[in-house]
Amino acid sequence: MKVQLRAFEKEDLDAIVKWVNTEAVTQYLSDSLIYPISRADEMKWLDSIAISNHREKVFAIVTLENELIGSVGLHNINWVERKAELGIMIGEPGLWGKGYGSEAVRRILRIAFEKMNLNRVYLRVFENNPRAIRVYEKCGFQKEGLLRQDHYSGHSYSNTFIMGLLKEEYLKSLDR
Ligand SMILES: CC(C)(COP(=O)(O)OP(=O)(O)OC[C@H]1O[C@@H](n2cnc3c(N)ncnc32)[C@H](O)[C@@H]1OP(=O)(O)O)[C@@H](O)C(=O)NCCC(=O)NCCS
């Protein structure tokens, strides 16, 4: 075991503001993060992900030494169709490639399928993010589709994969 998930606290704000203003990290994330982001806006975001928000469940990723290293969440939760969109970031590039991301994804999948009883978790990942694609494939996600020229960066357009994992596939992977 390398990481645990916990709720975000107000004291985490400085770290979050740093991550979302680090281009090495945000280049792989949603286009809402292309602009510099203020503490005030990030505070509003922190307030918005309170446990009373039934559309989003976002958690802090901490190491066993209790160091805050990132965030992982389920977004656009649809309780009728029992599906949600996964998002993750390890906020310090120096901590990439140490197995933290894969374990954090497995932990949120456990919450999604075993606690929330979702049937489908999906995500969007840029084609030029092989590290993230590897993590999702290791965790059982399949590529389901390709959105052509979906993302603009560095004066050019690139493709985005949709990846998905169903509860039945998740449960089978536990048997192995
Ligand atoms: C994507 C992210 C969450 C992954 O977390 P991580 O802790 O770095 O991932 P892990 O260490 O668990 O696993 C990385 C895997 O990718 C592999 N990898 C690394 N670079 C790679 C590359 N260029 N091509 C293919 N595989 C690569 C590693 O070898 C490892 O696989 P392995 O365990 O089979 O050896 C993290 O890198 C991150 O936050 N990146 C920036 C934000 C981001 O991309 N978020 C996802 C948006 S969809």
Side-chain angles (χ1 to χ4, degrees), residues 25-41:
V25 178
T26 59
Q27 64 177 323
Y28 297 114
L29 301 173
S30 127
D31 58 7
S32 62
L33 293 174
I34 60 177
Y35 309 105
I37 300 183
S38 67
R39 284 175 65 84
D41 276 342

Side-chain angles (χ1 to χ4, degrees), residues 1-164:
M1 187 166 92
K2 291 169 188 278
V3 297
Q4 288 177 326
L5 306 189
R6 65 155 170 80
F8 272 112
E9 303 287 351
K10 289 204 164 39
E11 295 70 35
D12 300 328
L13 187 63
D14 285 345
I16 302 167
V17 171
K18 184 175 172 219
W19 302 338
V20 296
N21 286 291
T22 301
E23 201 181 337
V25 178
T26 59
Q27 64 177 323
Y28 297 114
L29 301 173
S30 127
D31 58 7
S32 62
L33 293 174
I34 60 177
Y35 309 105
I37 300 183
S38 67
R39 284 175 65 84
D41 276 342
E42 226 30 51
M43 193 64 225
K44 279 188 211 146
W45 176 80
L46 256 187
D47 284 340
S48 79
I49 59 158
I51 202 71
S52 56
N53 182 341
H54 296 300
R55 294 271 300 168
E56 289 194 272
K57 303 289 173 198
V58 186
F59 303 100
I61 306 170
V62 294
T63 63
L64 297 190
E65 293 75 40
N66 214 17
E67 182 195 0
L68 174 64
I69 60 166
S71 132
V72 63
L74 297 165
H75 309 270
N76 300 319
I77 300 170
N78 184 322
W79 295 100
V80 175
E81 293 171 345
R82 307 218 69 85
K83 65 184 182 185
E85 179 167 2
L86 186 146
I88 182 169
M89 75 164 122
I90 303 293
E92 300 284 345
L95 295 177
W96 295 351
K98 297 178 185 294
Y100 295 137
S102 304
E103 192 174 316
V105 168
R106 290 197 181 99
R107 289 194 176 274
I108 196 118
L109 289 177
R110 182 158 182 246
I111 294 174
F113 291 124
E114 297 186 31
K115 309 249 187 219
M116 295 164 67
N117 190 26
L118 295 183
N119 181 55
R120 166 179 166 77
V121 175
Y122 64 98
L123 58 89
R124 284 171 289 180
V125 58
F126 301 149
E127 192 177 32
N128 60 0
N129 192 355
R131 180 185 288 107
I133 293 169
R134 169 80 186 131
V135 167
Y136 301 139
E137 285 180 335
K138 271 201 309 183
C139 294
F141 284 84
Q142 294 181 25
K143 287 176 181 157
E144 296 179 331
L146 182 75
L147 306 177
R148 295 173 306 148
Q149 298 194 10
D150 180 61
H151 176 60
Y152 179 77
S153 171
H155 310 293
S156 63
Y157 292 95
S158 57
N159 303 326
T160 298
F161 285 115
I162 303 284
M163 300 183 75

